[in-house]
Amino acid sequence: MPELPEVETTRRGIAPHVKGRRIESLVIRQRQLRWPIPGSLKRYLTGTQINDVGRRAKYLLLHCDNGSALLHLGMSGSLRVVPSAQPVMTHDHVDFQLSDGRSLRFNDPRRFGALLWAGRDPHQHPLLASLGPEPLSREFTGQHLHRRSRERRCAVKSFIMDAHQVVGVGNIYASEALYHAGIHPRRPAGRISAKRYELLAQCIREVLRDAIAAGGTTLRDFTADGIPGYFSQSLAAYGREGLPCLACDTPLRCEVIGQRASFFCPRCQR
DNA sequence: AAAGCGCCCTGAAGGC
DNA sequence: TGCCTTCAGGGCGCTT
């Protein structure tokens, strides 16, 4: 379940290995992802050079000579650089065969991921054009959240998970940030003060920054339930239903909000 | 416009 | 033990 920190860690991990390499061929074994991989993608990518690897929200961008490919890891996707001769595993859907005998290999058991062509101005692609600010950018502030949430009655947890408000706040981080900010996840987004949004924005930045920092060294350590090992070190709320709140010992609760499991302290979070 | 929900898919977990 | 059922989960897009 790649959240933004894992996508960023993936970007940093693959960039040095693919930057400046030419794509000699593209091998597609399974086209049916979230959207079918377009038939034209092979034509665009074959023979082009990867100049840089970018990221917008949870989308990775392979910036090539003639435009950019857009890649989403979905819930279960992963990218690895492997020797091209390495035997193919189940769900290895795409190989970008590079000029140095290695391949960028995309594996995605659940096929919620995507691989599309975004052209020369990728940020104008429909999937990217209307996204909110990056949580670690200057534009993301408490004031931004406060202004955008006026008159909004949806739960604040759903609000901060809406990519049109701010990108990259997945289910785990939404619970964590709200816990640290002391805000009840069901509170209507429009009924939170500017001051509390300032604290919430700070908590969102902190949980994401910490996770990215941890992700660089311990990403390989995945637990059986798919939650990366580095989360288990520092999760204060997520997955801790019934366990004592770290601040007040009240048992944490789990409720479904917007069809997503949500963990919170009924006493600390108002 | 905002909010709610269905859907895509597989693997894991639970029930019998 | 093994089969069958249920469900989670990101995020788009349709419906209300």
Side-chain angles (χ1 to χ4, degrees), chain A residues 19-34:
Chain A
K19 270 171 86 163
R21 299 277 187 277
R22 202 168 59 84
I23 299 173
E24 290 192 333
S25 61
L26 188 71
V27 178
I28 302 173
R29 303 185 190 85
Q30 170 61 270
R31 239 173 231 292
Q32 300 306 312
L33 304 181
R34 179 183 184 103

Side-chain angles (χ1 to χ4, degrees), chain A residues 14 19 31 37-38 42 126 132 153 159 200 207 209 224 246 252 268:
Chain A
I14 66 169
K19 270 171 86 163
R31 239 173 231 292
I37 297 175
K42 247 182 200 176
R153 278 172 291 182
F159 182 73
L200 179 56
V207 292
R209 209 186 301 122
L246 301 179
L252 298 190
C268 293

